[in-house]
Amino acid sequence: MSSATSTPGRQTAEERRETVLEAARAEFAVTGYHGTSTDAIAERAGISQPYLFRLYRTKKELFLACIERGFGVTLEGFKQASEGLRGEKALEAMGEAYMALLSDRKKLLAQMQSYAACDDPEVRAAVRRGFRDLYSFVEARAAVSPVRVSQFFAKGMLI
């Protein structure tokens, strides 16, 4: 084995999990939970399907991880954008951050696919948790009325 193949190109299991997660998000975004094959995800990630299942035990586990990642990225964007702000200024900053995040078409499609798969109770629960976390953060950070927070989310869903 040459040194060129043994060290520089190798990833840790955690790095490989990240690679797989990004590959899965891209695949799920286009073809959804039911339409995406684990073969396609493994191929995009540059690994074998058996190795994919060593990292994520099931396709559903991987899909749920993608949902959590999507909401987590949005929450982090909201936090960064609204740091030190309150009221309408915080809402405006978070709205702009959301628009910037969703300018990446695959992120928007992945979000929509998570909603489309909510007929599954585990998926529905993951989406509810993620949305609840976003709502709670916006409510606390902006410190505006519940009606205004609801308007913020309603408008965001219509962009």
Side-chain angles (χ1 to χ4, degrees):
M1 181 182 278
S2 74
S3 62
T5 59
S6 63
T7 307
R10 297 195 60 139
Q11 293 182 317
T12 66
E14 192 54 39
E15 290 169 332
R16 185 61 75 185
R17 284 178 66 84
E18 287 298 313
T19 299
V20 169
L21 191 58
E22 287 308 311
R25 284 185 70 199
E27 291 293 328
F28 287 134
V30 175
T31 53
Y33 175 61
H34 297 292
T36 300
S37 73
T38 54
D39 282 333
I41 295 168
E43 184 176 330
R44 181 181 283 260
I47 62 172
S48 68
Q49 189 182 39
Y51 188 59
L52 172 78
F53 286 117
R54 284 180 54 200
L55 297 170
Y56 293 92
R57 293 174 302 166
T58 66
K59 180 172 133 178
K60 185 185 284 185
E61 180 181 301
L62 181 53
F63 189 70
L64 293 171
C66 289
I67 292 170
E68 290 171 12
R69 170 61 56 85
F71 278 107
V73 166
T74 302
L75 181 58
E76 188 56 36
F78 282 9
K79 287 178 179 180
Q80 289 178 8
S82 65
E83 184 68 36
L85 302 175
R86 292 286 182 262
E88 290 300 320
K89 289 186 187 257
L91 292 176
E92 184 177 327
M94 288 184 275
E96 288 174 10
Y98 185 63
M99 293 280 288
L101 282 170
L102 295 186
S103 66
D104 177 345
R105 183 166 158 58
K106 284 212 177 9
K107 287 180 182 171
L108 176 59
L109 288 173
Q111 181 180 2
M112 300 309 294
Q113 293 291 2
S114 69
Y115 300 149
C118 276
D119 59 325
D120 180 287
E122 291 175 87
V123 171
R124 185 170 49 249
V127 168
R128 280 185 177 160
R129 275 191 308 276
F131 205 83
R132 181 197 62 225
D133 291 347
L134 286 178
Y135 192 96
S136 296
F137 174 78
V138 170
E139 185 177 46
R141 176 63 57 97
V144 295
S145 73
V147 169
R148 182 63 187 103
V149 174
S150 293
Q151 289 170 339
F152 173 79
F153 279 97
K155 183 178 178 184
M157 294 300 292
L158 295 174
I159 58 171

